[in-house]
Amino acid sequence: MAFFEKMWLFAFPIRPQATCPTNWLSRYTWYATMWDKPMNKHDGRVIAQENELRVLRALNRFGWLRTRDLAALLWQRWSQQPREAPDLKPAQPTASGLRMSQRTLRRLRGKRRVLSARAPDGSTIYALSEAGARSLNQLGIAAATGKDLLRSFSTAHFRHRCIANEIALGSIIKGFRVSTEREIARGLWLGGEEGIAGKKPDTLLRADGKVWWIEVERSRKNAKDYSRLLRWLDVVKRDASQNGPSSLLGQENRWGNVMFVCTLSFETKLCRDLGKRGWTKEQIYRHISFNNSLYNFKDIIFS
């Protein structure tokens, strides 16, 4: 049941007259492969409505998404459990997924349940409208419009959020429990409104009692924020190194590690400054990991 509990975030409950296979790809794929006869118009309308609900729920969780993000998340197979530690790789949409995403967004725009805006790179992003949020609230799903998220933001902020979203999308598909940047900003995550030791991540991943804290660093921090980061990492190291349950994460959780998606220069500087604070090289790479090859901060291509 854990797989279906996870998929409840984006889909209606399964109708009782049929049994859904455990390798369920999506409502569209299931109906298309379940029956040996063509779907009638009624079935098609039901599938369309369910796809619309899944899109609305995804937008509510992430704040805004692109067509390709929705296609990658909602129209391909999800793993029931992670097979390995997070690799932070972005999910790639399929051609059929892109078509389904485009059709669903077109219908939702016609119903005025989503808003769209042109991002700094020229791509189109979508968020919940007042009507879209209201339709979720009527189903008992707490939701708020994302109109304020579309009004204005810098290119740097857009790229930062795109990377955080791609990491979250790919991790959901791989079977991790994910707190998105939008959910974290609203206090809907493990650390609540106050954060963990006074800090909030860009994305949080959880599986088998382990917690991976994701930080996207595309530019150098100012001196005050950087000093705060160093002190926070000291606190995490002490907590992760102690015997017994974590004081910061609670008894049911333990640290995986802190994962930085960053430039090579940021990695070099952080390692050097942690060394000055008494960290050994072994301690640094036990508690922290760096990825500076998956995402190009200077020339990110969006579509």
Side-chain angles (χ1 to χ4, degrees), residues 262-303:
C262 60
T263 61
L264 181 59
S265 61
F266 182 89
E267 175 184 351
T268 301
K269 176 177 173 55
L270 184 61
C271 290
R272 181 177 64 246
D273 292 340
L274 289 175
K276 293 178 181 178
R277 299 174 74 88
W279 290 56
T280 66
K281 184 175 181 180
E282 189 274 334
Q283 287 175 327
I284 291 174
Y285 289 102
R286 184 199 313 164
H287 300 297
I288 302 173
S289 65
F290 300 92
N291 190 302
N292 42 55
S293 61
L294 281 178
Y295 300 92
N296 188 333
F297 291 101
K298 295 182 179 180
D299 187 24
I300 302 175
I301 300 175
F302 300 99
S303 59

Coordinates of all heavy atoms in Angstrom, one line a residue, residues 262-303:
C262 N 26.4 22.7 -6.6 CA 27.2 24.0 -6.5 C 28.3 24.0 -7.6 O 28.5 23.0 -8.3 CB 27.8 24.1 -5.1 SG 29.0 22.8 -4.7
T263 N 28.9 25.1 -7.6 CA 30.1 25.3 -8.5 C 31.3 24.6 -7.9 O 31.4 24.5 -6.7 CB 30.4 26.7 -8.8 OG1 30.7 27.4 -7.6 CG2 29.2 27.4 -9.5
L264 N 32.3 24.3 -8.7 CA 33.6 23.8 -8.1 C 34.3 24.8 -7.2 O 34.8 24.4 -6.2 CB 34.5 23.4 -9.3 CG 35.8 22.8 -8.9 CD1 35.6 21.5 -8.1 CD2 36.7 22.5 -10.2
S265 N 34.2 26.1 -7.5 CA 34.8 27.1 -6.7 C 34.1 27.1 -5.3 O 34.8 27.3 -4.3 CB 34.7 28.4 -7.4 OG 33.4 28.8 -7.6
F266 N 32.8 27.0 -5.3 CA 32.1 26.9 -4.0 C 32.6 25.7 -3.1 O 32.8 25.8 -1.9 CB 30.6 26.9 -4.1 CG 29.9 27.0 -2.8 CD1 29.5 28.2 -2.3 CD2 29.5 25.8 -2.2 CE1 28.8 28.2 -1.1 CE2 28.8 25.8 -1.0 CZ 28.5 27.0 -0.4
E267 N 32.7 24.6 -3.8 CA 33.1 23.4 -3.1 C 34.5 23.6 -2.5 O 34.8 23.2 -1.4 CB 33.1 22.2 -4.1 CG 33.7 20.9 -3.4 CD 33.8 19.7 -4.4 OE1 33.2 19.9 -5.5 OE2 34.4 18.7 -4.1
T268 N 35.4 24.1 -3.3 CA 36.8 24.3 -2.9 C 36.9 25.3 -1.7 O 37.6 25.0 -0.7 CB 37.6 24.9 -4.1 OG1 37.6 24.0 -5.2 CG2 39.1 25.1 -3.6
K269 N 36.1 26.4 -1.8 CA 36.1 27.3 -0.7 C 35.6 26.7 0.6 O 36.1 26.9 1.7 CB 35.4 28.6 -1.1 CG 35.2 29.6 0.0 CD 34.5 30.9 -0.5 CE 34.2 31.8 0.7 NZ 35.4 32.2 1.5
L270 N 34.4 26.0 0.5 CA 33.8 25.5 1.7 C 34.7 24.4 2.3 O 34.8 24.4 3.6 CB 32.4 24.8 1.3 CG 31.6 24.3 2.4 CD1 31.2 25.4 3.4 CD2 30.3 23.6 1.9
C271 N 35.3 23.6 1.6 CA 36.2 22.6 2.1 C 37.4 23.2 2.8 O 37.8 22.8 3.9 CB 36.7 21.6 1.0 SG 35.4 20.5 0.4
R272 N 37.9 24.2 2.2 CA 39.0 25.0 2.8 C 38.6 25.6 4.2 O 39.3 25.5 5.2 CB 39.6 26.0 1.9 CG 40.8 26.8 2.4 CD 41.3 27.8 1.4 NE 40.3 28.8 1.1 CZ 39.8 29.0 -0.1 NH1 40.1 28.1 -1.1 NH2 38.9 29.9 -0.3
D273 N 37.5 26.2 4.2 CA 37.0 26.9 5.4 C 36.6 26.0 6.5 O 36.8 26.3 7.7 CB 35.9 27.9 5.0 CG 36.4 29.1 4.2 OD1 37.6 29.3 4.2 OD2 35.5 29.7 3.5
L274 N 36.0 24.8 6.1 CA 35.7 23.8 7.1 C 37.0 23.2 7.7 O 37.1 22.9 8.9 CB 34.9 22.7 6.5 CG 33.4 23.1 6.2 CD1 32.7 21.9 5.5 CD2 32.6 23.5 7.4
G275 N 38.0 23.1 6.9 CA 39.3 22.6 7.4 C 39.9 23.6 8.4 O 40.5 23.1 9.4
K276 N 39.7 24.9 8.2 CA 40.2 25.8 9.2 C 39.4 25.8 10.5 O 39.9 26.2 11.6 CB 40.0 27.2 8.6 CG 40.9 27.5 7.4 CD 40.7 28.9 6.9 CE 41.6 29.2 5.7 NZ 41.3 30.6 5.1
R277 N 38.2 25.2 10.5 CA 37.4 25.1 11.7 C 37.6 23.7 12.3 O 36.8 23.3 13.3 CB 35.9 25.2 11.3 CG 35.6 26.6 10.7 CD 34.2 26.7 10.3 NE 33.2 26.8 11.4 CZ 32.8 27.9 11.9 NH1 33.3 29.1 11.5 NH2 31.9 27.9 12.9
G278 N 38.5 22.9 11.9 CA 38.9 21.7 12.5 C 38.3 20.4 11.9 O 38.6 19.3 12.4
W279 N 37.7 20.6 10.8 CA 37.2 19.4 10.1 C 38.3 18.7 9.4 O 39.1 19.3 8.7 CB 36.1 19.8 9.0 CG 34.8 20.3 9.5 CD1 34.6 21.3 10.4 CD2 33.5 19.8 9.2 NE1 33.2 21.5 10.6 CE2 32.6 20.6 9.8 CE3 33.1 18.8 8.3 CZ2 31.2 20.4 9.7 CZ3 31.7 18.5 8.2 CH2 30.8 19.3 8.9
T280 N 38.3 17.4 9.4 CA 39.3 16.6 8.6 C 38.6 16.3 7.3 O 37.4 16.5 7.1 CB 39.6 15.3 9.3 OG1 38.4 14.5 9.3 CG2 40.1 15.5 10.7
K281 N 39.5 16.0 6.3 CA 38.9 15.6 5.0 C 37.9 14.5 5.1 O 36.9 14.5 4.4 CB 40.1 15.3 4.0 CG 39.6 15.0 2.6 CD 40.8 14.8 1.7 CE 40.4 14.6 0.3 NZ 41.6 14.4 -0.6
E282 N 38.2 13.5 5.9 CA 37.3 12.4 6.1 C 36.0 12.8 6.6 O 34.9 12.3 6.2 CB 38.0 11.3 7.0 CG 37.2 10.0 7.0 CD 36.1 10.0 8.1 OE1 36.2 10.7 9.0 OE2 35.2 9.2 7.9
Q283 N 36.0 13.7 7.6 CA 34.7 14.2 8.2 C 33.9 15.0 7.1 O 32.7 14.9 7.1 CB 35.0 15.1 9.4 CG 35.5 14.3 10.6 CD 35.9 15.3 11.7 OE1 36.4 16.4 11.5 NE2 35.7 14.8 12.9
I284 N 34.6 15.8 6.3 CA 33.9 16.6 5.3 C 33.2 15.7 4.3 O 32.0 15.9 4.1 CB 34.9 17.5 4.5 CG1 35.5 18.6 5.4 CG2 34.2 18.1 3.3 CD1 36.6 19.4 4.8
Y285 N 33.8 14.6 3.8 CA 33.2 13.8 2.8 C 32.3 12.7 3.4 O 31.6 12.0 2.7 CB 34.2 13.3 1.9 CG 34.8 14.4 1.0 CD1 36.0 14.9 1.2 CD2 34.0 14.9 -0.1 CE1 36.5 16.0 0.4 CE2 34.5 15.9 -0.9 CZ 35.7 16.4 -0.6 OH 36.2 17.5 -1.4
R286 N 32.3 12.6 4.7 CA 31.4 11.7 5.4 C 30.0 12.4 5.6 O 29.0 11.8 5.4 CB 31.9 11.2 6.8 CG 31.0 10.2 7.4 CD 31.2 10.1 8.9 NE 32.6 10.0 9.3 CZ 33.1 10.2 10.5 NH1 32.3 10.6 11.5 NH2 34.4 10.1 10.7
H287 N 30.1 13.6 5.9 CA 28.8 14.3 6.2 C 28.3 15.2 5.1 O 27.2 15.6 5.1 CB 29.0 15.2 7.4 CG 29.4 14.5 8.7 ND1 28.6 13.5 9.3 CD2 30.5 14.5 9.4 CE1 29.2 13.0 10.3 NE2 30.4 13.6 10.4
I288 N 29.2 15.5 4.1 CA 28.8 16.4 3.0 C 29.2 15.7 1.6 O 30.2 15.1 1.5 CB 29.5 17.7 3.1 CG1 29.2 18.4 4.5 CG2 29.2 18.7 2.0 CD1 30.1 19.6 4.7
S289 N 28.3 16.0 0.6 CA 28.7 15.6 -0.7 C 28.5 16.8 -1.6 O 27.7 17.6 -1.3 CB 27.9 14.4 -1.2 OG 26.5 14.7 -1.3
F290 N 29.2 16.8 -2.8 CA 29.1 17.9 -3.7 C 28.8 17.3 -5.1 O 29.3 16.3 -5.5 CB 30.4 18.6 -3.7 CG 30.8 19.2 -2.4 CD1 31.6 18.5 -1.5 CD2 30.4 20.5 -2.0 CE1 32.0 19.1 -0.3 CE2 30.8 21.1 -0.8 CZ 31.6 20.3 0.1
N291 N 28.0 18.1 -5.8 CA 27.7 17.8 -7.2 C 27.8 19.0 -8.0 O 27.1 20.0 -7.8 CB 26.4 17.1 -7.4 CG 26.2 16.6 -8.8 OD1 26.3 17.3 -9.8 ND2 25.9 15.3 -8.9
N292 N 28.8 19.1 -8.9 CA 29.0 20.3 -9.7 C 29.1 20.0 -11.2 O 29.6 20.7 -12.0 CB 30.3 21.1 -9.3 CG 31.5 20.2 -9.0 OD1 31.8 19.3 -9.9 ND2 32.0 20.3 -7.8
S293 N 28.5 18.8 -11.6 CA 28.5 18.4 -13.0 C 27.1 18.2 -13.6 O 27.0 18.3 -14.8 CB 29.3 17.1 -13.1 OG 28.7 16.0 -12.4
L294 N 26.1 17.9 -12.8 CA 24.8 17.7 -13.4 C 24.1 18.9 -13.9 O 23.4 18.9 -14.9 CB 23.9 17.1 -12.3 CG 24.1 15.6 -12.0 CD1 23.1 15.1 -10.9 CD2 23.8 14.7 -13.2
Y295 N 24.3 20.1 -13.2 CA 23.6 21.3 -13.6 C 24.7 22.4 -13.9 O 25.6 22.6 -13.1 CB 22.7 21.7 -12.4 CG 21.7 20.7 -12.1 CD1 21.9 19.8 -11.1 CD2 20.5 20.7 -12.8 CE1 20.9 18.8 -10.8 CE2 19.5 19.8 -12.5 CZ 19.7 18.8 -11.5 OH 18.8 17.9 -11.2
N296 N 24.5 23.0 -15.0 CA 25.4 24.1 -15.4 C 24.7 25.4 -15.1 O 23.8 25.8 -15.6 CB 25.6 24.0 -16.9 CG 26.7 25.0 -17.4 OD1 26.9 26.0 -16.8 ND2 27.4 24.7 -18.5
F297 N 25.3 26.1 -14.1 CA 24.7 27.3 -13.5 C 24.8 28.5 -14.5 O 24.0 29.4 -14.5 CB 25.4 27.7 -12.2 CG 25.0 26.8 -11.1 CD1 25.9 25.8 -10.7 CD2 23.8 26.9 -10.4 CE1 25.6 24.9 -9.7 CE2 23.5 26.0 -9.4 CZ 24.4 25.0 -9.0
K298 N 25.8 28.4 -15.4 CA 26.0 29.5 -16.3 C 25.2 29.4 -17.6 O 25.0 30.4 -18.3 CB 27.5 29.7 -16.6 CG 28.4 30.0 -15.5 CD 29.8 30.2 -15.9 CE 30.7 30.6 -14.7 NZ 32.1 30.7 -15.0
D299 N 24.9 28.2 -18.0 CA 24.2 28.0 -19.3 C 23.2 26.9 -19.2 O 23.3 25.9 -19.8 CB 25.2 27.7 -20.4 CG 24.6 27.7 -21.7 OD1 23.6 28.3 -21.9 OD2 25.2 27.0 -22.6
I300 N 22.2 27.1 -18.4 CA 21.1 26.2 -18.2 C 20.1 26.3 -19.4 O 19.7 27.4 -19.7 CB 20.4 26.3 -16.9 CG1 21.4 26.2 -15.7 CG2 19.3 25.3 -16.7 CD1 20.8 26.5 -14.4
I301 N 19.8 25.2 -20.0 CA 18.9 25.2 -21.1 C 17.5 24.7 -20.7 O 17.4 23.6 -20.2 CB 19.4 24.4 -22.3 CG1 20.8 24.9 -22.8 CG2 18.4 24.3 -23.4 CD1 21.4 24.1 -23.8
F302 N 16.5 25.5 -20.9 CA 15.2 25.1 -20.5 C 14.3 25.0 -21.7 O 14.5 25.8 -22.6 CB 14.5 26.2 -19.5 CG 15.3 26.3 -18.2 CD1 16.2 27.4 -18.1 CD2 15.2 25.4 -17.2 CE1 16.9 27.5 -16.9 CE2 15.9 25.6 -16.0 CZ 16.8 26.7 -15.9
S303 N 13.3 24.1 -21.6 CA 12.4 24.0 -22.7 C 11.0 23.7 -22.2 O 10.8 23.4 -21.1 CB 12.9 22.9 -23.7 OG 13.0 21.7 -23.0

